[in-house]
Amino acid sequence: YQRRVRDSSYFHLCPLGEPMTVKRRNHGRTKGRHRGHVNSIRCTNCGRFAPKDKAIKRFIVRNMVESAAVRDLQEASAIKTVTDPASPEGGYVLPKFYVKMQYCVSCAIHSRIVRVRSREDRRIRTPPQRGRRRM
């Protein structure tokens, strides 16, 4: 026999007695309350199945040509290449490489994409400040 103890998100269903505490408010997922099942994805690092809402997702934008070869391409090409697409002068803009990386929790912690936080810091829900772009 189980009973629901309090309506707070920090307490779980538990046998009669004291309420069981829960480590995270959302149980480590972004699924929501009334959704039963979400699709699984494969971790890009190790291949482990992880629920799509629990996986740590990062979108990576890189230049298709590495920085060492950009200067060689500019010297060899007849078309003027522009490194910054927002610049006013016309020319050919080198294409970018767009990849969505999806990690399981253990790979994200191991490769330092996310860090382990203390109990007090876990309650801070604002996203960390992003690094400034260098000019």
Side-chain angles (χ1 to χ4, degrees):
Y1 173 71
Q2 293 192 344
R3 64 184 172 93
R4 182 170 289 283
V5 181
R6 290 190 210 165
D7 200 33
S8 172
S9 59
Y10 281 98
F11 295 98
H12 240 350
L13 285 173
C14 63
L16 291 173
E18 289 299 313
M20 256 173 33
T21 56
V22 175
K23 193 171 187 180
R24 285 175 188 83
R25 168 182 167 161
N26 61 356
H27 309 291
R29 304 178 71 159
T30 60
K31 187 174 63 157
R33 254 185 89 207
H34 298 292
R35 186 177 307 173
H37 183 264
V38 291
N39 291 331
S40 296
I41 55 103
R42 300 295 295 261
C43 173
T44 54
N45 191 29
C46 68
R48 174 186 285 175
F49 273 104
K52 187 177 180 182
D53 60 333
K54 189 172 191 172
I56 290 94
K57 295 170 271 296
R58 294 291 181 265
F59 201 72
I60 295 176
V61 180
R62 285 196 187 134
N63 286 327
M64 203 169 274
V65 182
E66 56 191 34
S67 59
V70 170
R71 196 164 49 101
D72 297 337
L73 277 173
Q74 286 176 345
E75 292 170 357
S77 69
I79 303 171
K80 182 179 165 189
T81 56
V82 179
T83 54
D84 185 23
S87 64
E89 60 232 19
Y92 178 71
V93 179
L94 290 172
K96 298 225 182 251
F97 193 61
Y98 299 92
V99 183
K100 185 173 186 181
M101 307 293 275
Q102 297 175 322
Y103 299 97
C104 63
V105 175
S106 57
C107 285
I109 291 172
H110 181 73
S111 56
R112 297 192 184 112
I113 293 163
V114 291
R115 303 279 171 111
V116 178
R117 298 190 291 171
S118 67
R119 183 178 290 179
E120 291 80 26
D121 289 346
R122 260 184 253 140
R123 291 176 180 238
I124 301 170
R125 294 174 60 85
T126 56
Q129 287 194 353
R130 302 174 85 181
R132 294 183 184 173
R133 288 190 176 188
R134 294 184 200 120
M135 292 287 182

